[in-house]
Amino acid sequence: MPRSKRDKKVSLTKTDRKGLAWKQRIVDDIRFCVGKYPNIFVFQVQNMRNSLLKDLRQEWKKNSRFIFGKNRVMQIGLGRTKSEEVEPELYKLSKRLTGQVGLLFTDKSKEEVLEWAENYWAVEYARSGFVATETVTLPAGPLEDFAHSMEPHLRSLGLPTKLEKGIVTLYSDYTVCEEGKVLTPEQARILKLVGKPMAKFRLTMKCSWTKSEGFQLHVEDDVNDEEQADSAMEEEAEAEAMDDNDDDDDEEDDE
């Protein structure tokens, strides 16, 4: 029997690509914020967690705005060269938009933001690839926090467990991780199951720009602020950054 033309496989996991309109909105938002807020910071994220960044947005929304998106698009918003920059010296901020970074626009003073960033951190569970900060060992004995139905899952993660009278029991000491070694996915899951957070979510202010003082570097780097890119290369980079068919998955979850 011939196959029906209506018999087509539909992937339920397919998502729409972020197109030109989405990227243009980020550029417009950045330029609007440059005019609205007197102070701008480039911050670097350690142990990124979207939920914690969302909490910060809520906490600061009265007088600030966080924008976290594709670096090349944010660079276009600020201006990548002296000739493109929206305000004097903003191109120096643009040059520092590399890696896992974002922009903070705020009415708060530079001193207030730097002091807050120095003292702010949040403990989170480590993920695979994280370098363990301590050695964690589980002693032999009952694991009463786990239901008996969890025993097969714990065993699949490598824990030496068994059921004794319906109680999950570790029948020998088990070293989950060692200080200084990279965590595997299984080790990261075990640490989360036993309630052992190890990572710290932090924001480091790399540099800032204020309308009154201009650009200031807070973390030393090897960026050459006087270096000017070839105009043809700049045009090519801009076209690539704004390309509607770009597959980049960088997320801008600004609300």
Side-chain angles (χ1 to χ4, degrees):
M1 182 176 178
R3 183 176 178 181
S4 172
K5 292 183 179 180
R6 296 179 182 177
D7 185 15
K8 296 181 180 179
K9 291 183 178 180
V10 178
S11 174
L12 299 179
T13 61
K14 185 177 180 180
T15 57
D16 293 333
R17 291 174 176 172
K18 295 173 181 176
L20 182 61
W22 174 83
K23 295 173 184 178
Q24 186 61 52
R25 181 176 67 84
I26 296 178
V27 172
D28 293 341
D29 285 347
I30 289 174
R31 291 177 178 173
F32 171 78
C33 289
V34 169
K36 180 178 179 180
Y37 297 98
N39 304 317
I40 309 173
F41 294 82
V42 173
F43 63 87
Q44 187 168 26
V45 185
Q46 298 176 29
N47 300 305
M48 175 64 181
R49 300 293 187 272
N50 283 335
S51 60
L52 293 176
L53 188 60
K54 186 175 181 179
D55 291 342
L56 286 179
R57 280 197 170 109
Q58 289 297 317
E59 182 181 339
W60 287 57
K61 68 179 182 180
K62 290 184 179 180
N63 51 19
S64 306
R65 183 162 180 192
F66 287 89
I67 293 182
F68 194 87
K70 185 175 179 181
N71 290 339
R72 286 180 294 176
V73 176
M74 292 193 293
Q75 288 172 349
I76 293 172
L78 293 176
R80 294 161 302 166
T81 63
K82 288 183 179 180
S83 60
E84 294 178 357
E85 62 187 9
V86 182
E87 293 282 352
E89 294 193 315
L90 274 185
Y91 83 97
K92 294 182 181 180
L93 287 186
S94 182
K95 284 178 174 286
R96 270 86 185 174
L97 289 172
T98 58
Q100 196 164 43
V101 296
L103 292 170
L104 168 61
F105 299 86
T106 182
D107 287 331
K108 294 186 178 183
S109 68
K110 179 175 63 178
E111 293 73 21
E112 186 178 359
V113 173
L114 292 176
E115 182 180 359
W116 169 83
E118 185 70 25
N119 296 297
Y120 171 79
W121 54 272
V123 177
E124 266 294 329
Y125 292 107
R127 294 174 176 172
S128 61
F130 181 83
V131 178
T133 57
E134 61 179 294
T135 298
V136 177
T137 301
L138 301 178
L143 301 175
E144 297 181 353
D145 292 336
F146 296 101
H148 66 87
S149 58
M150 284 287 293
E151 195 276 331
H153 177 59
L154 295 174
R155 193 161 13 97
S156 71
L157 294 176
L159 288 171
T161 59
K162 61 181 179 179
L163 283 176
E164 287 188 356
K165 298 180 180 180
I167 298 176
V168 180
T169 303
L170 203 64
Y171 58 78
S172 65
D173 293 347
Y174 182 77
T175 300
V176 179
C177 62
E178 296 181 14
E179 182 179 356
K181 292 189 176 181
V182 177
L183 295 180
T184 65
E186 292 76 18
Q187 289 172 325
R189 292 192 194 103
I190 293 172
L191 289 173
K192 187 172 184 178
L193 287 171
V194 299
K196 191 68 177 178
M198 194 174 286
K200 285 187 177 181
F201 171 82
R202 298 184 68 103
L203 301 185
T204 301
M205 299 299 162
K206 296 178 63 177
C207 55
S208 64
W209 178 91
T210 64
K211 290 186 177 179
S212 59
E213 300 177 6
F215 174 82
Q216 184 176 357
L217 190 64
H218 303 300
V219 177
E220 291 298 324
D221 56 38
D222 56 359
V223 176
N224 183 0
D225 290 323
E226 302 305 320
E227 189 178 51
Q228 296 295 320
D230 181 79
S231 59
M233 293 178 63
E234 289 289 345
E235 292 176 3
E236 182 180 350
E238 180 171 358
E240 184 179 354
M242 301 299 288
D243 186 358
D244 194 23
N245 294 321
D246 199 333
D247 289 332
D248 196 298
D249 291 330
D250 285 354
E251 182 177 6
E252 201 283 335
D253 52 354
D254 187 38
E255 297 180 346

